[in-house]
Amino acid sequence: MKKRRKDSGEIIMSFQRTKKVAGRMFAGAYRSIRTKLLSWFLIVTLIPLFSLGALSYYQSARIINSQFGKYGDNAVAQLEQQTSSTLSRMKQTAETIYSYLLDPSRMGIGNQAPTTYRDILEKNDFESLLKSLRTQLTAGIYIITTSGYYYGENNLDVAKLDRIPLWRSKPKAYAGTYWLGFYPQDHFIKSSDSGNRSVIGLAVPIHHPDKSQDGSIILIEEYAEELLQMFRQFEEDTHAHLQISSPDGTVIYETDAAYSPKDSDVTWSRTLAVNQWTLEARIPAKAFYRSSGIIRANTMTVAILSCLLAFGIAYLFSSRFTSRIRTLKDSMQKVSFGKLDTRTPIDGRDELGSLDMSFNRMVTGIQELIGEVERSERLKKEAELRAFHYQINPHLLFNTLNSIQWKARLEGAEDIRLMLYHLTMVLEGNLDISQELVTLRRELRMIEHFLKVQEIRYGEVFRYRLECDDSLLPYLIPRMTLQPLFENIFFHAFTDGEGEIDMSIRMDGDDLVLMLRDNGAGMKEEQLARLFSPEVKRKGRGGLGVRNADQKFKLHFGPLYGLTVYSVKGEGTTITIRWPKKEESDDVGNRENQGADCR
């Protein structure tokens, strides 16, 4: 019992594992864009294909079946017409002979062989009538008397008439016409005379008590090969089973092949007006719909071949399409692993080709950007090393300057002491690299100390005006960007420090605009053009502060910001700086809220 439970549990677990694996495979195939493309391509192709095939088959089958049905019905109608024509001709011949024999003006033929001259003349006249009634299809016209004597051609063996089935089974007493059906003509005296050709026979009894031919029989036979050939041709063309039967159910003609009637058979039927024979053609439903079946088979074959062709085209198309996507995906994976030299081949000028070009440009841009980052990092490290170098024991410098300042105070050299004080303040601001962005208040305070040094150096020969609202002082500006500009004014624009400096700071929307003017020497146009060019080698200190200041603003705030310089030789220079408003936290602002104020 335990073993059975264990076996059933293993079967369930195996089934679950198989189901899970199949689910993963199906899910993976469904997630594949190649499978989706192939599926949608087949759906879009096969739905119209099968719809058109089904519609074509339905219309063609309906037309073929209708035409075949009409053909069979028309063919049976032709058989009925030909058979009726033959029977009518035979019946008309029999009626002519019957009218001749019952003519009261004629003595009539005898029941025995003629013995008198008059009987011979009557026989000759009657046989002349029979000869006149013959046609190319007439096989024989006979009058058979009750004594066994007959009128007509002299090759009939009356005893052999019993070989005719319906002649043998005819009733003793009957009236009207008696159709003998189809049979071989083998009742001649010599069998070679007839060759056993197929004929159709008609027997008409003569009823005339007042005549000697009472009880005689008119036998009319016509060749039936042409009619039977039509029957066989119809059977061959339609594969139908043909049967002709009399009103009492006697089968007159039937197709040789065995046949079992079914309710599903397609039937064409006609009734002969001459003798009420029923002409019925039956064809099995399978044979009747054979043509439509062939159309259906051909349609299915074409549909299957079209499906295979559509699948092949869809497979090739999706393979080519997805292979390019897969190549791009592999390239993206390689790039994600750090292989930035990866490039995808550009195959075609379609959307995928444009995507490959964009990918290559993107990777090239990333590679260049990483190179720039690497260079920036290298420069940053070099700057940090220089900063570390500059920070090596700055207290020694400050202590030395303080000592000199104290010595000057003891000696009473107040100008030297003040210059050393302001220089110490400027150097302290320069050597403090803890912040790259400082407030306008702090930067302006450094400018005041710098100007005090210049004032002690040159005396009160220059004028400095500042226009700035106090609300702008907390906003940030890159450190040490104004001092180099003022240095350029004193070293290149002024002579012996003489001149005027105007600086204004205002707010323009979300930006700050600083304008620095001097009435110094100015610059020529070619000097102004080379001012921001990094490729021009500088001699001395001319213009280096302008370009460095511009680079600081661009590095901190973006390429849209920075310096604009306008200068005219002999009239002075105007420098305009634009940068976005950015305010530092309050605690930093409070620490720096000492010193310079706008005025």
Side-chain angles (χ1 to χ4, degrees):
M1 185 67 178
K2 292 182 179 179
K3 185 177 180 181
R4 290 183 179 178
R5 291 181 179 177
K6 184 177 180 180
D7 293 342
S8 61
E10 290 179 353
I11 293 173
I12 294 174
M13 292 179 63
S14 177
F15 175 75
Q16 291 177 350
R17 286 195 297 268
T18 304
K19 184 178 180 181
K20 185 180 295 185
V21 172
R24 290 178 180 175
M25 292 177 61
F26 179 77
Y30 181 75
R31 286 194 296 266
S32 172
I33 188 173
R34 181 177 182 179
T35 304
K36 292 180 181 179
L37 282 174
L38 187 60
S39 301
W40 283 111
F41 190 89
L42 289 177
I43 290 174
V44 172
T45 304
L46 297 183
I47 288 179
L49 179 63
F50 279 111
S51 300
L52 182 61
L55 181 62
S56 300
Y57 163 71
Y58 173 76
Q59 295 290 346
S60 300
R62 185 171 62 86
I63 293 174
I64 289 297
N65 293 335
S66 175
Q67 290 180 349
F68 187 60
K70 291 180 180 179
Y71 169 76
D73 191 61
N74 292 334
V76 172
Q78 289 182 359
L79 294 180
E80 182 264 340
Q81 182 180 2
Q82 292 294 332
T83 305
S84 296
S85 176
T86 300
L87 298 181
S88 297
R89 187 170 55 251
M90 294 173 64
K91 185 177 181 180
Q92 185 177 2
T93 301
E95 290 175 351
T96 301
I97 295 173
Y98 201 94
S99 298
Y100 179 87
L101 294 176
L102 297 182
D103 187 359
S105 62
R106 294 183 178 277
M107 179 179 177
I109 58 176
N111 193 19
Q112 299 291 334
T115 55
T116 64
Y117 178 73
R118 186 175 181 178
D119 291 340
I120 293 174
L121 291 176
E122 190 66 30
K123 174 185 176 184
N124 292 335
D125 291 342
F126 181 68
E127 289 184 347
S128 297
L129 172 66
L130 297 181
K131 290 180 180 180
S132 66
L133 295 176
R134 290 179 63 88
T135 64
Q136 292 181 351
L137 297 177
T138 302
I141 301 177
Y142 308 97
I143 307 297
I144 304 171
T145 64
T146 56
S147 63
Y149 181 76
Y150 68 93
Y151 295 88
E153 297 182 3
N154 298 325
N155 59 347
L156 178 64
D157 188 349
V158 177
K160 294 181 180 180
L161 290 176
D162 287 338
R163 297 179 179 179
I164 303 173
L166 292 182
W167 178 277
R168 188 171 58 251
S169 60
K170 71 180 186 298
K172 297 296 184 180
Y174 64 95
T177 57
Y178 187 79
W179 295 94
L180 302 176
F182 299 94
Y183 53 88
Q185 194 179 34
D186 57 353
H187 41 264
F188 290 157
I189 296 175
K190 294 180 180 180
S191 58
S192 58
D193 293 341
S194 63
N196 294 333
R197 296 178 64 181
S198 296
V199 296
I200 183 172
L202 171 63
V204 179
I206 300 174
H207 296 285
H208 198 303
D210 298 333
K211 293 285 187 175
S212 58
Q213 61 267 22
D214 182 44
S216 300
I217 299 175
I218 302 174
L219 176 61
I220 300 175
E221 294 177 336
E222 279 201 11
Y223 294 115
E225 285 93 347
E226 185 176 349
L227 193 60
L228 292 176
Q229 180 62 30
M230 291 180 61
F231 292 164
R232 286 189 289 271
Q233 188 65 42
F234 170 78
E235 295 166 354
E236 182 179 352
D237 292 343
T238 61
H239 301 282
H241 181 271
L242 183 63
Q243 178 177 302
I244 302 176
S245 57
S246 62
D248 60 358
T250 302
V251 177
I252 306 299
Y253 173 84
E254 186 174 13
T255 303
D256 295 335
Y259 186 78
S260 299
K262 297 180 180 179
D263 296 337
S264 60
D265 293 343
V266 178
T267 304
W268 300 296
S269 180
R270 287 287 189 277
T271 300
L272 305 182
V274 178
N275 57 358
Q276 300 303 308
W277 278 359
T278 300
L279 192 150
E280 183 182 74
R282 303 180 68 94
I283 180 171
K286 183 178 181 180
F288 181 81
Y289 296 107
R290 182 177 300 169
S291 299
S292 59
I294 294 174
I295 296 176
R296 181 176 62 250
N298 292 336
T299 303
M300 291 299 296
T301 302
V302 172
I304 292 173
L305 294 177
S306 301
C307 289
L308 295 176
L309 180 61
F311 181 82
I313 295 175
Y315 182 81
L316 293 176
F317 173 78
S318 61
S319 298
R320 177 174 175 80
F321 182 78
T322 54
S323 63
R324 297 172 66 184
I325 297 178
R326 192 180 300 110
T327 301
L328 182 60
K329 184 196 74 171
D330 295 339
S331 300
M332 295 176 68
Q333 286 183 341
K334 292 179 180 179
V335 171
S336 66
F337 294 151
K339 298 180 179 179
L340 297 180
D341 57 344
T342 303
R343 298 294 184 272
T344 58
I346 300 175
D347 187 9
R349 298 183 179 179
D350 53 5
E351 288 80 358
L352 287 178
S354 300
L355 187 61
D356 292 335
M357 294 175 62
S358 300
F359 173 79
N360 291 338
R361 286 196 297 267
M362 179 191 70
V363 176
T364 302
I366 292 174
Q367 197 172 18
E368 294 176 353
L369 181 60
I370 291 178
E372 289 292 334
V373 171
E374 289 177 351
R375 286 190 293 272
S376 299
E377 288 294 326
R378 185 172 62 254
L379 294 175
K380 181 179 178 182
K381 289 184 180 297
E382 293 176 357
E384 289 177 352
L385 291 174
R386 286 196 299 268
F388 284 132
H389 176 72
Y390 293 150
Q391 285 180 337
I392 295 175
N393 203 7
H395 296 289
L396 176 62
L397 177 60
F398 292 143
N399 290 336
T400 303
L401 290 175
N402 288 331
S403 298
I404 296 174
Q405 181 185 354
W406 182 254
K407 185 69 174 177
R409 183 176 183 181
L410 292 177
E411 296 291 335
E414 187 64 21
D415 292 341
I416 296 174
R417 186 189 69 81
L418 290 175
M419 182 178 287
L420 288 174
Y421 167 73
H422 292 296
L423 178 60
T424 302
M425 292 293 100
V426 174
L427 291 177
E428 184 179 357
N430 287 340
L431 294 175
D432 183 10
I433 60 173
S434 60
Q435 288 180 301
E436 282 297 324
L437 294 177
V438 297
T439 61
L440 272 172
R441 177 180 284 108
R442 177 177 174 180
E443 190 71 7
L444 293 177
R445 188 169 65 245
M446 292 300 103
I447 295 301
E448 287 182 358
H449 288 296
F450 174 80
L451 292 176
K452 287 293 183 181
V453 174
Q454 303 305 321
E455 183 179 350
I456 295 172
R457 177 184 179 186
Y458 295 108
E460 296 181 0
V461 297
F462 66 88
R463 182 181 58 81
Y464 168 65
R465 286 194 300 269
L466 173 64
E467 294 180 6
C468 174
D469 192 90
D470 290 341
S471 62
L472 304 180
L473 295 178
Y475 291 110
L476 300 178
I477 187 172
R479 184 179 63 85
M480 293 300 296
T481 53
L482 297 182
Q483 181 186 328
L485 303 181
F486 277 83
E487 288 181 3
N488 284 338
I489 293 175
F490 280 95
F491 282 101
H492 302 287
F494 291 172
T495 302
D496 295 332
E498 185 177 354
E500 296 181 359
I501 302 173
D502 294 322
M503 186 169 66
S504 64
I505 304 174
R506 61 183 176 85
M507 186 166 53
D508 184 11
D510 293 332
D511 295 340
L512 295 175
V513 178
L514 185 148
M515 187 172 293
L516 179 63
R517 303 185 187 91
D518 68 75
N519 61 347
M523 289 180 288
K524 296 180 180 180
E525 291 184 2
E526 55 269 18
Q527 290 178 314
L528 190 63
R530 296 195 303 266
L531 194 61
F532 294 97
S533 176
E535 299 178 357
V536 178
K537 294 183 179 181
R538 306 292 177 182
K539 295 182 179 180
R541 301 168 60 186
L544 187 60
V546 176
R547 186 168 66 85
N548 288 342
D550 182 66
Q551 290 298 317
K552 281 187 177 183
F553 279 98
K554 284 181 166 53
L555 287 174
H556 283 289
F557 304 114
L560 298 179
Y561 301 98
L563 278 66
T564 303
V565 181
Y566 173 77
S567 182
V568 177
K569 184 66 176 178
E571 297 182 4
T573 302
T574 300
I575 299 177
T576 304
I577 307 175
R578 177 181 290 271
W579 75 100
K581 293 188 299 183
K582 184 176 182 182
E583 192 172 1
E584 201 170 20
S585 59
D586 293 338
D587 54 348
V588 177
N590 291 332
R591 290 198 302 270
E592 298 179 354
N593 193 15
Q594 297 177 357
D597 290 324
C598 295
R599 62 181 181 271

